[in-house]
Structure formats: C-alpha cells, structure tokens
Amino acid sequence: MPARLIVRAQVDGIGPYEETFEFRQEVIALGRREECDVTLQDNSVSRQHAQIQFHDGQWSVMDVGSSKGTAVNGDLLEAEKPVYLSTGDILTIAPFDIEFEAIEEDEAILTTQRFDPSQNLD
C-alpha cells in the first residue's frame, strides 16, 4: 500500500514550508543523508534518523538511534522499537512535522525528493 508524507517546517528566514512525498516501496528512510528517501536538511536531524516500514499489512515507524529522537503525536519513541502508524499521525523530527497517510494504489504519484527549504523560496 502506498504512503504519503506531508513534510511541514517553520524555517528561519524563509517561513512556513510544506512538501508532499508519495512512495510505493516498503521501507522509507528519513534523515539528513542524500541517500535517504526523504532528506531533511537541518543540523539537528541525524544522517539516518528514522525509518517507516510496511510489513504484514501495517505501516510502522522506528527511530534508528538518532541523537535528537523522533516523536509520534508528541510521544517520543524508544530507539529501535517500531510503533504502528495510522493515517493522520504526525511524526516530529527536529523542526519538521511529517503527516503520515496510507493511501490507495490509484491515488499515488511517485515522488522522491530532497527536502531543502533554502532551495524553495517561492
């Protein structure tokens, strides 16, 4: 089942920022590294910060040992312990709020991009 991530941030000097990503893959990596599926350009984000995974018909998220932590709906996750996700859940990674949506196959549009708010000043 595809997933949609809506990344929102309040970025100093730029203001509010929002970008949407959609995926059909079973594992989605989030972090500062360019190799991540969603690259979050902020020094408070670990190179590999969190992972979203689809397994046995259910989406989950796991902090992969980041230095600043990952929260779901305001609750800080224990490192390396997956937590199930539901549509509408909000992941918080440093200054980024990421809304999770499980979507139907026919709604998905594949996008994988680097999140760098300094490049999107429009």
PDB file of all heavy atoms in Angstrom, residues 29-53:
ATOM      1  N   ALA A  29      13.339   5.679   4.202  1.00  0.00           N
ATOM      2  CA  ALA A  29      14.363   6.208   5.114  1.00  0.00           C
ATOM      3  C   ALA A  29      14.245   7.727   5.196  1.00  0.00           C
ATOM      4  O   ALA A  29      14.109   8.403   4.172  1.00  0.00           O
ATOM      5  CB  ALA A  29      15.757   5.822   4.623  1.00  0.00           C
ATOM      6  N   LEU A  30      14.321   8.255   6.423  1.00  0.00           N
ATOM      7  CA  LEU A  30      14.275   9.693   6.656  1.00  0.00           C
ATOM      8  C   LEU A  30      15.538  10.104   7.394  1.00  0.00           C
ATOM      9  O   LEU A  30      15.926   9.456   8.368  1.00  0.00           O
ATOM     10  CB  LEU A  30      13.058  10.063   7.508  1.00  0.00           C
ATOM     11  CG  LEU A  30      11.708   9.737   6.895  1.00  0.00           C
ATOM     12  CD1 LEU A  30      11.161   8.461   7.497  1.00  0.00           C
ATOM     13  CD2 LEU A  30      10.759  10.869   7.141  1.00  0.00           C
ATOM     14  N   GLY A  31      16.180  11.164   6.931  1.00  0.00           N
ATOM     15  CA  GLY A  31      17.391  11.637   7.591  1.00  0.00           C
ATOM     16  C   GLY A  31      18.053  12.737   6.788  1.00  0.00           C
ATOM     17  O   GLY A  31      17.508  13.224   5.803  1.00  0.00           O
ATOM     18  N   ARG A  32      19.242  13.102   7.233  1.00  0.00           N
ATOM     19  CA  ARG A  32      19.974  14.199   6.604  1.00  0.00           C
ATOM     20  C   ARG A  32      20.783  13.744   5.386  1.00  0.00           C
ATOM     21  O   ARG A  32      21.135  14.550   4.529  1.00  0.00           O
ATOM     22  CB  ARG A  32      20.899  14.831   7.660  1.00  0.00           C
ATOM     23  CG  ARG A  32      21.299  16.237   7.342  1.00  0.00           C
ATOM     24  CD  ARG A  32      22.105  16.864   8.465  1.00  0.00           C
ATOM     25  NE  ARG A  32      23.384  16.219   8.631  1.00  0.00           N
ATOM     26  CZ  ARG A  32      23.832  15.695   9.772  1.00  0.00           C
ATOM     27  NH1 ARG A  32      23.127  15.758  10.868  1.00  0.00           N
ATOM     28  NH2 ARG A  32      25.006  15.116   9.823  1.00  0.00           N
ATOM     29  N   ARG A  33      21.088  12.454   5.287  1.00  0.00           N
ATOM     30  CA  ARG A  33      21.887  11.947   4.160  1.00  0.00           C
ATOM     31  C   ARG A  33      21.122  12.059   2.852  1.00  0.00           C
ATOM     32  O   ARG A  33      19.919  11.824   2.800  1.00  0.00           O
ATOM     33  CB  ARG A  33      22.234  10.477   4.384  1.00  0.00           C
ATOM     34  CG  ARG A  33      23.210  10.252   5.476  1.00  0.00           C
ATOM     35  CD  ARG A  33      23.486   8.791   5.722  1.00  0.00           C
ATOM     36  NE  ARG A  33      23.673   8.066   4.463  1.00  0.00           N
ATOM     37  CZ  ARG A  33      23.585   6.753   4.373  1.00  0.00           C
ATOM     38  NH1 ARG A  33      23.325   6.032   5.422  1.00  0.00           N
ATOM     39  NH2 ARG A  33      23.762   6.166   3.225  1.00  0.00           N
ATOM     40  N   GLU A  34      21.832  12.384   1.798  1.00  0.00           N
ATOM     41  CA  GLU A  34      21.203  12.488   0.479  1.00  0.00           C
ATOM     42  C   GLU A  34      20.664  11.148  -0.013  1.00  0.00           C
ATOM     43  O   GLU A  34      19.769  11.113  -0.840  1.00  0.00           O
ATOM     44  CB  GLU A  34      22.181  13.076  -0.541  1.00  0.00           C
ATOM     45  CG  GLU A  34      22.427  14.544  -0.283  1.00  0.00           C
ATOM     46  CD  GLU A  34      23.176  15.208  -1.412  1.00  0.00           C
ATOM     47  OE1 GLU A  34      23.018  14.781  -2.571  1.00  0.00           O
ATOM     48  OE2 GLU A  34      23.908  16.158  -1.124  1.00  0.00           O
ATOM     49  N   GLU A  35      21.178  10.040   0.512  1.00  0.00           N
ATOM     50  CA  GLU A  35      20.709   8.709   0.114  1.00  0.00           C
ATOM     51  C   GLU A  35      19.356   8.363   0.725  1.00  0.00           C
ATOM     52  O   GLU A  35      18.729   7.391   0.320  1.00  0.00           O
ATOM     53  CB  GLU A  35      21.732   7.637   0.511  1.00  0.00           C
ATOM     54  CG  GLU A  35      23.051   7.741  -0.217  1.00  0.00           C
ATOM     55  CD  GLU A  35      24.002   8.771   0.392  1.00  0.00           C
ATOM     56  OE1 GLU A  35      23.764   9.248   1.524  1.00  0.00           O
ATOM     57  OE2 GLU A  35      24.984   9.107  -0.276  1.00  0.00           O
ATOM     58  N   CYS A  36      18.908   9.122   1.696  1.00  0.00           N
ATOM     59  CA  CYS A  36      17.597   8.869   2.310  1.00  0.00           C
ATOM     60  C   CYS A  36      16.485   9.180   1.308  1.00  0.00           C
ATOM     61  O   CYS A  36      16.643  10.011   0.420  1.00  0.00           O
ATOM     62  CB  CYS A  36      17.417   9.725   3.560  1.00  0.00           C
ATOM     63  SG  CYS A  36      18.453   9.208   4.943  1.00  0.00           S
ATOM     64  N   ASP A  37      15.363   8.520   1.473  1.00  0.00           N
ATOM     65  CA  ASP A  37      14.225   8.761   0.588  1.00  0.00           C
ATOM     66  C   ASP A  37      13.647  10.153   0.802  1.00  0.00           C
ATOM     67  O   ASP A  37      13.199  10.792  -0.149  1.00  0.00           O
ATOM     68  CB  ASP A  37      13.153   7.702   0.829  1.00  0.00           C
ATOM     69  CG  ASP A  37      13.686   6.316   0.536  1.00  0.00           C
ATOM     70  OD1 ASP A  37      14.115   6.075  -0.609  1.00  0.00           O
ATOM     71  OD2 ASP A  37      13.704   5.480   1.463  1.00  0.00           O
ATOM     72  N   VAL A  38      13.626  10.612   2.045  1.00  0.00           N
ATOM     73  CA  VAL A  38      13.250  11.985   2.366  1.00  0.00           C
ATOM     74  C   VAL A  38      14.424  12.585   3.122  1.00  0.00           C
ATOM     75  O   VAL A  38      14.722  12.192   4.244  1.00  0.00           O
ATOM     76  CB  VAL A  38      11.967  12.061   3.215  1.00  0.00           C
ATOM     77  CG1 VAL A  38      11.649  13.517   3.565  1.00  0.00           C
ATOM     78  CG2 VAL A  38      10.794  11.415   2.488  1.00  0.00           C
ATOM     79  N   THR A  39      15.134  13.493   2.464  1.00  0.00           N
ATOM     80  CA  THR A  39      16.297  14.136   3.065  1.00  0.00           C
ATOM     81  C   THR A  39      15.850  15.424   3.742  1.00  0.00           C
ATOM     82  O   THR A  39      15.287  16.301   3.099  1.00  0.00           O
ATOM     83  CB  THR A  39      17.363  14.442   1.995  1.00  0.00           C
ATOM     84  OG1 THR A  39      17.705  13.229   1.344  1.00  0.00           O
ATOM     85  CG2 THR A  39      18.613  15.034   2.619  1.00  0.00           C
ATOM     86  N   LEU A  40      16.092  15.503   5.052  1.00  0.00           N
ATOM     87  CA  LEU A  40      15.692  16.652   5.860  1.00  0.00           C
ATOM     88  C   LEU A  40      16.939  17.456   6.191  1.00  0.00           C
ATOM     89  O   LEU A  40      17.744  17.058   7.030  1.00  0.00           O
ATOM     90  CB  LEU A  40      14.994  16.166   7.136  1.00  0.00           C
ATOM     91  CG  LEU A  40      13.783  15.266   6.901  1.00  0.00           C
ATOM     92  CD1 LEU A  40      13.334  14.618   8.197  1.00  0.00           C
ATOM     93  CD2 LEU A  40      12.649  16.044   6.255  1.00  0.00           C
ATOM     94  N   GLN A  41      17.110  18.572   5.501  1.00  0.00           N
ATOM     95  CA  GLN A  41      18.322  19.370   5.632  1.00  0.00           C
ATOM     96  C   GLN A  41      18.253  20.293   6.853  1.00  0.00           C
ATOM     97  O   GLN A  41      17.762  21.406   6.782  1.00  0.00           O
ATOM     98  CB  GLN A  41      18.559  20.178   4.357  1.00  0.00           C
ATOM     99  CG  GLN A  41      18.955  19.354   3.167  1.00  0.00           C
ATOM    100  CD  GLN A  41      20.271  18.644   3.382  1.00  0.00           C
ATOM    101  OE1 GLN A  41      21.207  19.198   3.917  1.00  0.00           O
ATOM    102  NE2 GLN A  41      20.325  17.393   2.961  1.00  0.00           N
ATOM    103  N   ASP A  42      18.728  19.772   7.975  1.00  0.00           N
ATOM    104  CA  ASP A  42      18.828  20.544   9.209  1.00  0.00           C
ATOM    105  C   ASP A  42      19.864  19.849  10.076  1.00  0.00           C
ATOM    106  O   ASP A  42      19.860  18.616  10.184  1.00  0.00           O
ATOM    107  CB  ASP A  42      17.479  20.605   9.925  1.00  0.00           C
ATOM    108  CG  ASP A  42      17.498  21.551  11.106  1.00  0.00           C
ATOM    109  OD1 ASP A  42      17.887  21.121  12.213  1.00  0.00           O
ATOM    110  OD2 ASP A  42      17.143  22.736  10.905  1.00  0.00           O
ATOM    111  N   ASN A  43      20.739  20.610  10.704  1.00  0.00           N
ATOM    112  CA  ASN A  43      21.814  20.015  11.505  1.00  0.00           C
ATOM    113  C   ASN A  43      21.314  19.222  12.704  1.00  0.00           C
ATOM    114  O   ASN A  43      22.039  18.397  13.245  1.00  0.00           O
ATOM    115  CB  ASN A  43      22.795  21.095  11.961  1.00  0.00           C
ATOM    116  CG  ASN A  43      23.636  21.597  10.813  1.00  0.00           C
ATOM    117  OD1 ASN A  43      23.848  20.899   9.824  1.00  0.00           O
ATOM    118  ND2 ASN A  43      24.103  22.832  10.916  1.00  0.00           N
ATOM    119  N   SER A  44      20.077  19.439  13.138  1.00  0.00           N
ATOM    120  CA  SER A  44      19.542  18.694  14.271  1.00  0.00           C
ATOM    121  C   SER A  44      18.949  17.344  13.858  1.00  0.00           C
ATOM    122  O   SER A  44      18.522  16.564  14.704  1.00  0.00           O
ATOM    123  CB  SER A  44      18.496  19.527  15.017  1.00  0.00           C
ATOM    124  OG  SER A  44      17.445  19.875  14.162  1.00  0.00           O
ATOM    125  N   VAL A  45      18.959  17.054  12.564  1.00  0.00           N
ATOM    126  CA  VAL A  45      18.498  15.766  12.044  1.00  0.00           C
ATOM    127  C   VAL A  45      19.712  14.861  11.866  1.00  0.00           C
ATOM    128  O   VAL A  45      20.722  15.271  11.299  1.00  0.00           O
ATOM    129  CB  VAL A  45      17.765  15.952  10.695  1.00  0.00           C
ATOM    130  CG1 VAL A  45      17.364  14.616  10.096  1.00  0.00           C
ATOM    131  CG2 VAL A  45      16.559  16.862  10.863  1.00  0.00           C
ATOM    132  N   SER A  46      19.618  13.617  12.357  1.00  0.00           N
ATOM    133  CA  SER A  46      20.711  12.662  12.182  1.00  0.00           C
ATOM    134  C   SER A  46      20.806  12.236  10.721  1.00  0.00           C
ATOM    135  O   SER A  46      19.835  12.321   9.972  1.00  0.00           O
ATOM    136  CB  SER A  46      20.486  11.433  13.056  1.00  0.00           C
ATOM    137  OG  SER A  46      20.559  11.781  14.418  1.00  0.00           O
ATOM    138  N   ARG A  47      21.991  11.759  10.336  1.00  0.00           N
ATOM    139  CA  ARG A  47      22.182  11.340   8.943  1.00  0.00           C
ATOM    140  C   ARG A  47      21.151  10.294   8.545  1.00  0.00           C
ATOM    141  O   ARG A  47      20.584  10.340   7.476  1.00  0.00           O
ATOM    142  CB  ARG A  47      23.595  10.827   8.730  1.00  0.00           C
ATOM    143  CG  ARG A  47      24.624  11.945   8.761  1.00  0.00           C
ATOM    144  CD  ARG A  47      25.989  11.382   8.520  1.00  0.00           C
ATOM    145  NE  ARG A  47      26.286  10.360   9.512  1.00  0.00           N
ATOM    146  CZ  ARG A  47      27.324  10.366  10.333  1.00  0.00           C
ATOM    147  NH1 ARG A  47      28.198  11.328  10.259  1.00  0.00           N
ATOM    148  NH2 ARG A  47      27.495   9.416  11.200  1.00  0.00           N
ATOM    149  N   GLN A  48      20.942   9.296   9.379  1.00  0.00           N
ATOM    150  CA  GLN A  48      19.847   8.349   9.199  1.00  0.00           C
ATOM    151  C   GLN A  48      19.048   8.411  10.493  1.00  0.00           C
ATOM    152  O   GLN A  48      19.488   7.941  11.532  1.00  0.00           O
ATOM    153  CB  GLN A  48      20.349   6.935   8.929  1.00  0.00           C
ATOM    154  CG  GLN A  48      19.211   5.993   8.718  1.00  0.00           C
ATOM    155  CD  GLN A  48      19.474   4.958   7.670  1.00  0.00           C
ATOM    156  OE1 GLN A  48      20.440   5.042   6.912  1.00  0.00           O
ATOM    157  NE2 GLN A  48      18.615   3.975   7.600  1.00  0.00           N
ATOM    158  N   HIS A  49      17.899   9.030  10.446  1.00  0.00           N
ATOM    159  CA  HIS A  49      17.161   9.401  11.648  1.00  0.00           C
ATOM    160  C   HIS A  49      16.043   8.412  11.993  1.00  0.00           C
ATOM    161  O   HIS A  49      15.942   7.952  13.128  1.00  0.00           O
ATOM    162  CB  HIS A  49      16.573  10.801  11.456  1.00  0.00           C
ATOM    163  CG  HIS A  49      16.210  11.475  12.723  1.00  0.00           C
ATOM    164  ND1 HIS A  49      16.995  12.452  13.294  1.00  0.00           N
ATOM    165  CD2 HIS A  49      15.150  11.311  13.544  1.00  0.00           C
ATOM    166  CE1 HIS A  49      16.433  12.851  14.416  1.00  0.00           C
ATOM    167  NE2 HIS A  49      15.309  12.178  14.585  1.00  0.00           N
ATOM    168  N   ALA A  50      15.216   8.095  11.015  1.00  0.00           N
ATOM    169  CA  ALA A  50      14.057   7.231  11.253  1.00  0.00           C
ATOM    170  C   ALA A  50      13.747   6.435   9.995  1.00  0.00           C
ATOM    171  O   ALA A  50      14.219   6.757   8.911  1.00  0.00           O
ATOM    172  CB  ALA A  50      12.844   8.060  11.671  1.00  0.00           C
ATOM    173  N   GLN A  51      12.934   5.394  10.189  1.00  0.00           N
ATOM    174  CA  GLN A  51      12.545   4.543   9.072  1.00  0.00           C
ATOM    175  C   GLN A  51      11.062   4.214   9.199  1.00  0.00           C
ATOM    176  O   GLN A  51      10.594   3.863  10.278  1.00  0.00           O
ATOM    177  CB  GLN A  51      13.371   3.269   9.130  1.00  0.00           C
ATOM    178  CG  GLN A  51      13.024   2.228   8.110  1.00  0.00           C
ATOM    179  CD  GLN A  51      13.944   1.043   8.242  1.00  0.00           C
ATOM    180  OE1 GLN A  51      15.123   1.146   7.954  1.00  0.00           O
ATOM    181  NE2 GLN A  51      13.407  -0.079   8.679  1.00  0.00           N
ATOM    182  N   ILE A  52      10.353   4.340   8.090  1.00  0.00           N
ATOM    183  CA  ILE A  52       8.949   3.930   8.022  1.00  0.00           C
ATOM    184  C   ILE A  52       8.922   2.650   7.208  1.00  0.00           C
ATOM    185  O   ILE A  52       9.569   2.556   6.163  1.00  0.00           O
ATOM    186  CB  ILE A  52       8.090   5.026   7.363  1.00  0.00           C
ATOM    187  CG1 ILE A  52       8.119   6.294   8.227  1.00  0.00           C
ATOM    188  CG2 ILE A  52       6.659   4.539   7.157  1.00  0.00           C
ATOM    189  CD1 ILE A  52       7.458   7.493   7.577  1.00  0.00           C
ATOM    190  N   GLN A  53       8.157   1.651   7.694  1.00  0.00           N
ATOM    191  CA  GLN A  53       8.161   0.350   7.030  1.00  0.00           C
ATOM    192  C   GLN A  53       6.746  -0.213   6.944  1.00  0.00           C
ATOM    193  O   GLN A  53       5.953  -0.083   7.883  1.00  0.00           O
ATOM    194  CB  GLN A  53       9.045  -0.619   7.799  1.00  0.00           C
ATOM    195  CG  GLN A  53       9.157  -1.970   7.152  1.00  0.00           C
ATOM    196  CD  GLN A  53      10.187  -2.849   7.836  1.00  0.00           C
ATOM    197  OE1 GLN A  53      10.880  -2.426   8.750  1.00  0.00           O
ATOM    198  NE2 GLN A  53      10.290  -4.074   7.391  1.00  0.00           N
TER     199      GLN A  53
END
